[in-house]
Amino acid sequence: MKNHAAQRLIADMQARSNSSGSLLTEALGASSQHLRQFNRERTLNCVRLQGPLPRVTIAQRIGLSRATVSNIIDELLAEGFVHEGDMLSAAPGGGRRPIQVHFNANAGCILGVDIGRTHLTFVAADLSGHILAHQSMPFITTQGPDICIQQLANRLRDFINANDISWDRIIGLSCGSPGTLDGNKRVFVSPPHMPGWNGVDIRGTLEEEFKLPVLLDNDANLGALGESRYGAGRTQKDFIYVKIGTGIGSGIIVNGQIYRGNGGFAGELGHITTGEDGPLCECGNRGCLESLAGADAIIHDACEGISLTRLQSELPDKQVSSIATKPLADMSDVIQAAREGDPACCAALAVAGHRIGMAVSVLINLFNPSAVILDGGVTHAGDILTAPLIASAAASSLPASWNHTRILMGELHEMAIALGAITAMIDEAFGQAKMFGDTIPQLPEVDIYKYTNAVPGDLVPPSG
Ligand SMILES: [Zn+2]
């Protein structure tokens, strides 16, 4: 038997992506069909976000007649989106106690995929964002798109089958990936460190492969969205998520939603020019923040030494030796050596922190966010990176803005992007999530230690 709820959500998403305006503007237009769909979404979202509730209360909250709401609820019951359960303990005005309408989160299932440069993470979640299954594995994007996309599809099928997820419950696949995507979020545009991926339509290929709606977004945008609903941004309406790894990216959250800019390219913090005579960046410019403070730059600085004059001008109080005392293969070696006190590694991380802090002060002055959330592999260095970052951000921000901005660490670690992908699909499937005043819908608490390598100490906010 077909799963009616999942089919309906897929049809709604397809209708929404084909429609020219928002459902609200069309409803104001208003064909009776659009108006019915508009009222249906409001009813379903009211039960989903505020339920369980009796029919009479739903009608009061969304300002529709009791009869209209009852018709819609009957339809939602038949499709499996809601079920009626317990009664209220007392009737509000005496009399019969009303039956409550509950949202059925099991009516559908969402797949979130984090496509990293060196890993793949899959998460399956129900329609309320509860995690049903999770798996991470190595993934080498430098093998090129032909091999990688087929591998991704095969492993995702294995994941779905191994976890007994019924295919007709799946409403869509939501993916995050590094690198720049085109404005329609379909095609890679010269992604750094991913040779052969320029122009690849990963979204179209996966839609064809799975015959399901597919969403694709930049990893920093989805990390920001994940933190906003599941993690450190749960209480912040306007914040900026900064991901510091091989690349440096940011996701800007305004009123609980991703701010994308005109062409969809907002948030490219790593390509702010911080030194015109700096090294050549993958984007073709010189002196981008990423080329001076990303993981590769930090490893380079630790191995080759930073010129003392340059360092003194940026961090006058630091004493440095010229190069690291041990061989350094990757960022975790640099962090380990810095923790053991290697002066060159400490200095390389401190200089990077200082440079990133200057860029963060630009964000603070421009956006006046309530928080900046730091995440990404380089942040595992802890205070060695974050103390100079916070010091330079504080020194370069306008005091009025700085005093209203908190610097927080991300809470979701390796799960941030996959959970952001789940969030994006929930928003897409139900539309109108913002109908209910200024409340941003929050998703369930996640026991992050169950799914990641994080240790409790990682969640301590940076000092300063
Ligand atoms: Zn650049």
Side-chain angles (χ1 to χ4, degrees):
M1 197 184 83
K2 279 275 178 201
N3 179 319
H4 294 297
Q7 295 306 313
R8 178 67 195 248
L9 283 176
I10 291 171
D12 285 354
M13 277 191 275
Q14 281 160 349
R16 213 173 285 127
S17 77
N18 293 334
S19 88
S20 49
S22 76
L23 207 52
L24 176 60
T25 51
E26 285 185 0
L28 293 173
S31 80
S32 62
Q33 188 196 342
H34 283 135
L35 196 58
R36 204 160 48 238
Q37 175 67 5
F38 181 69
N39 288 337
R40 178 194 149 92
E41 285 193 6
R42 294 176 71 200
T43 307
L44 180 53
N45 277 321
C46 184
V47 179
R48 182 173 74 91
L49 300 171
Q50 301 182 355
L53 293 168
R55 293 181 185 214
V56 59
T57 311
I58 298 166
Q60 284 163 356
R61 292 224 178 146
I62 61 180
L64 289 175
S65 76
R66 176 102 194 262
T68 304
V69 165
S70 255
N71 285 338
I72 295 171
I73 297 283
D74 288 343
E75 190 181 304
L76 295 173
L77 274 169
E79 288 169 325
F81 277 109
V82 299
H83 58 87
E84 287 183 308
D86 52 319
M87 293 180 193
L88 270 190
S89 50
R96 208 153 54 90
R97 293 182 298 151
I99 295 174
Q100 306 228 74
V101 181
H102 296 247
F103 177 60
N104 177 18
N106 288 317
C109 171
I110 298 164
L111 299 170
V113 181
D114 169 10
I115 308 168
R117 290 191 179 94
T118 58
H119 70 269
L120 265 183
T121 297
F122 299 142
V123 170
D126 70 15
L127 297 179
S128 288
H130 291 102
I131 298 173
L132 304 173
H134 157 263
Q135 192 182 4
S136 274
M137 63 204 80
F139 188 63
I140 313 295
T141 48
T142 49
Q143 295 179 107
D146 292 343
I147 294 175
C148 283
I149 295 177
Q150 201 50 56
Q151 255 180 17
L152 191 165
N154 292 343
R155 290 175 183 180
L156 190 56
R157 278 181 203 286
D158 292 345
F159 172 75
I160 292 163
N161 294 331
N163 288 288
D164 282 331
I165 296 164
S166 145
W167 282 89
D168 72 356
R169 266 181 73 205
I170 301 171
I171 66 159
L173 176 57
S174 182
C175 308
S177 73
T180 314
L181 297 163
D182 72 314
N184 293 323
K185 298 284 175 272
R186 299 195 79 87
V187 177
F188 281 111
V189 183
S190 308
H193 315 284
M194 289 172 68
W197 288 79
N198 183 37
V200 170
D201 180 0
I202 186 168
R203 191 171 155 187
T205 312
L206 292 174
E207 278 169 349
E208 186 55 35
E209 179 84 26
F210 288 96
K211 310 283 187 241
L212 282 168
V214 175
L215 298 179
L216 178 65
D217 208 338
N218 169 271
D219 56 0
N221 279 345
L222 291 185
L225 197 58
E227 289 290 349
S228 90
R229 307 289 175 81
Y230 283 94
R234 281 165 79 94
T235 56
Q236 321 284 333
K237 275 168 67 181
D238 304 291
F239 71 86
I240 298 176
Y241 169 87
V242 176
K243 185 168 189 283
I244 311 164
T246 308
I248 298 178
S250 71
I252 303 161
I253 297 288
V254 176
N255 210 14
Q257 306 291 323
I258 299 168
Y259 173 79
R260 298 181 179 282
N262 180 38
F265 304 112
E268 291 289 356
L269 183 68
H271 300 285
I272 288 181
T273 305
T274 47
E276 281 177 296
D277 56 348
L280 194 63
C281 176
E282 290 246 0
C283 74
N285 286 341
R286 280 197 175 275
C288 292
L289 177 66
E290 186 169 303
S291 68
L292 284 162
D296 290 347
I298 295 170
I299 296 167
H300 175 271
D301 283 353
C303 292
E304 306 285 323
I306 306 165
S307 106
L308 201 57
T309 12
R310 190 162 179 162
L311 186 63
Q312 277 174 331
S313 68
E314 290 194 34
L315 283 178
D317 59 335
K318 284 277 168 191
Q319 299 291 314
V320 289
S321 74
S322 53
I323 55 168
T325 50
K326 282 187 195 167
L328 305 167
D330 57 24
M331 198 59 222
S332 58
D333 287 348
V334 175
I335 292 172
Q336 185 57 35
R339 285 190 178 141
E340 289 162 7
D342 181 284
C345 292
C346 289
L349 282 163
V351 170
H354 176 77
R355 288 169 172 160
I356 297 165
M358 302 273 278
V360 164
S361 76
V362 174
L363 297 177
I364 291 173
N365 287 346
L366 274 180
F367 288 96
N368 184 207
S370 61
V372 173
I373 298 177
L374 305 176
D375 198 12
V378 177
T379 62
H380 295 163
D383 274 359
I384 307 169
L385 177 92
T386 57
L389 189 160
I390 291 168
S392 75
S396 305
S397 301
L398 288 172
S401 282
W402 174 254
N403 291 337
H404 292 95
T405 305
R406 299 170 69 200
I407 307 287
L408 304 171
M409 297 306 287
E411 292 178 359
L412 305 177
H413 304 271
E414 301 97 299
M415 291 288 276
I417 294 156
L419 291 177
I422 296 287
T423 307
M425 184 59 85
I426 291 176
D427 283 2
E428 183 78 10
F430 292 98
Q432 297 188 60
K434 288 164 67 188
M435 284 301 296
F436 295 91
D438 283 338
T439 315
I440 307 296
Q442 296 200 340
L443 296 173
E445 292 251 8
V446 175
D447 176 8
I448 213 66
Y449 305 117
K450 195 170 137 192
Y451 300 105
T452 69
N453 297 321
V455 291
D458 287 352
L459 299 185
V460 176
S463 55

